[in-house]
Amino acid sequence: MLNAAPSDYTQYVYEPFVSETGNNIGAVLCVPMIMHNQNVGAIAVSSRQTNVYNKYHLEFIRTLGSYLTVALDNASIHDQLNQTKEIIEEEKGKSEKLLLNILPSEIAEELKLNGEAEPRSFDNATILFSDFMDFTEASERMTPKELILELNHCFMAFDALCDKHNIEKIKTIGDSFMAAGGIPVASVDSTKNAVLLGLDMSEFIIKRVEERDKKGEVPLHMRVGLNTGAVVAGIVGKKKFQYDIWGDAVNIASRMESHGSVGKVNISQKTYEIIKNESIFTFEHRGKVTAKRKGEVDMYYVNRA
């Protein structure tokens, strides 16, 4: 507090202090604003007259400075909270996206709400299996990097086709791809859509084989099989958990794949009975085929009409 600024200033500066309006300053009060032991600013008041301020004026300015410092601190904390909130929301979005890559959306939502998801039974799920023929032999003729890149290329295409036909991808097991229609939400078109998925996958691989043959690269040939029946679906495990399905219908679907042919989509009698009147398909009855642990089973090759 300088009550005679023109004379008192001389111990600090060589020239009289002048206000922004061009007036000489007679008296001045200046209070620093300290926040977390750092000076963040100051409050200064001045008068053209001398000897106008006293200790009450000084205390008033100090109090005002304290209030403003607290306000600035609160504003800073609020800004930090907003930034933290944005980071949390961003990370939450990433976590939810990752969860949806692992689980069906309905199951993921149930898991978030309840901390667990109840197993469910489905009477008419259509299970699809695909597998690359002579995969071990083909992989021995490819570098590890080339093998992984090719598998990833194919499986990413299959994922997109699952989305296209509203079919739930279940998992990949080595070079095998598993999906199912009619879960976790039953649908009257799930069997037809699952068969269309199988045909699209088969056609994709046929074109892929042609592309790799032209380039002199090792091709991967594929079989596809489907069956319709009752399954139980749910989440297993606590670490690296996954949504999976169980039931004899799953085993029969696996037999449809293993007893099929390269470039063909092989379906069971149960699947055939559901889609046999669909005009978009034609069928080739293979008769009864002996399947491991299942005896003689009727099988059909399905094609687009």
Side-chain angles (χ1 to χ4, degrees):
M1 181 172 68
L2 302 178
N3 260 323
S7 59
D8 292 340
Y9 263 129
T10 58
Q11 57 186 310
Y12 305 113
V13 295
Y14 294 111
E15 296 180 1
F17 188 77
V18 179
S19 70
E20 291 183 357
T21 58
N23 297 313
N24 290 329
I25 292 176
V28 64
L29 283 177
C30 185
V31 175
M33 297 168 61
I34 307 298
M35 182 167 58
H36 306 305
N37 296 320
Q38 288 186 334
N39 184 20
V40 295
I43 299 178
V45 294
S46 62
S47 172
R48 285 178 287 176
Q49 300 178 18
T50 60
N51 300 310
V52 293
Y53 298 128
N54 56 44
K55 64 179 181 180
Y56 298 108
H57 296 116
L58 181 60
E59 287 304 314
F60 177 79
I61 297 299
R62 281 177 175 165
T63 302
L64 179 61
S66 297
Y67 282 131
L68 287 175
T69 303
V70 170
L72 284 173
D73 196 21
N74 288 340
S76 176
I77 292 171
H78 184 267
D79 186 50
Q80 291 174 16
L81 288 174
N82 282 337
Q83 292 179 9
T84 302
K85 184 180 178 181
E86 289 176 3
I87 293 171
I88 291 173
E89 290 296 326
E90 183 179 350
E91 293 303 317
K92 182 182 176 183
K94 291 179 181 178
S95 297
E96 289 188 357
K97 185 177 180 181
L98 181 61
L99 193 62
L100 290 174
N101 282 337
I102 300 172
L103 303 174
S105 58
E106 296 81 3
I107 303 301
E109 193 63 31
E110 183 180 351
L111 191 64
K112 286 191 294 181
L113 290 174
N114 306 324
E116 60 181 6
E118 287 292 323
R120 291 184 175 86
S121 298
F122 298 90
D123 294 331
N124 287 294
T126 300
I127 306 98
L128 176 149
F129 276 98
S130 74
D131 189 70
F132 290 110
M133 189 76 171
D134 298 326
F135 178 76
T136 302
E137 291 81 353
S139 64
E140 290 174 351
R141 298 161 55 198
M142 304 166 70
T143 66
K145 182 178 180 180
E146 183 185 6
L147 176 65
I148 296 301
L149 287 175
E150 183 60 18
L151 280 178
N152 188 54
H153 179 82
C154 295
F155 287 158
M156 285 181 64
F158 296 169
D159 288 347
L161 291 173
C162 283
D163 290 340
K164 172 186 174 182
H165 294 292
N166 197 29
I167 299 298
E168 191 67 39
K169 174 187 175 180
I170 303 299
K171 58 185 174 182
T172 57
I173 312 166
D175 62 308
S176 179
F177 186 92
M178 182 183 180
I183 63 167
V185 179
S187 167
V188 293
D189 293 325
S190 60
T191 300
K192 177 181 72 174
N193 290 339
V195 173
L196 287 171
L197 169 64
L199 289 170
D200 278 356
M201 289 170 59
S202 182
E203 289 166 5
F204 172 84
I205 292 299
I206 289 172
K207 291 179 181 177
R208 186 65 177 169
V209 168
E210 292 175 355
E211 292 173 2
R212 292 184 68 84
D213 276 336
K214 288 179 181 178
K215 296 178 182 178
E217 298 172 338
V218 179
L220 296 176
H221 300 276
M222 188 180 73
R223 298 175 303 215
V224 178
L226 297 97
N227 176 53
T228 305
V231 300
V232 175
I235 297 175
V236 292
K238 189 172 183 179
K239 292 183 177 180
K240 297 184 179 180
F241 56 83
Q242 70 175 49
Y243 186 71
D244 209 343
I245 57 176
W246 301 267
D248 193 51
V250 177
N251 299 327
I252 295 175
S254 178
R255 300 294 182 272
M256 293 301 110
E257 178 275 311
S258 60
H259 289 79
S261 302
V262 167
K264 294 283 190 178
V265 176
N266 191 35
I267 64 174
S268 66
Q269 179 72 33
K270 183 71 179 289
T271 303
Y272 168 77
E273 290 296 334
I274 296 173
I275 63 169
K276 63 182 180 181
N277 294 322
E278 296 283 352
S279 61
I280 58 175
F281 301 126
T282 61
F283 305 94
E284 178 187 341
H285 186 211
R286 302 178 61 196
K288 293 188 179 296
V289 179
T290 303
K292 184 179 179 182
R293 297 179 184 174
K294 297 298 175 185
E296 292 187 338
V297 181
D298 278 297
M299 299 184 188
Y300 297 79
Y301 286 139
V302 59
N303 298 287
R304 296 185 194 275

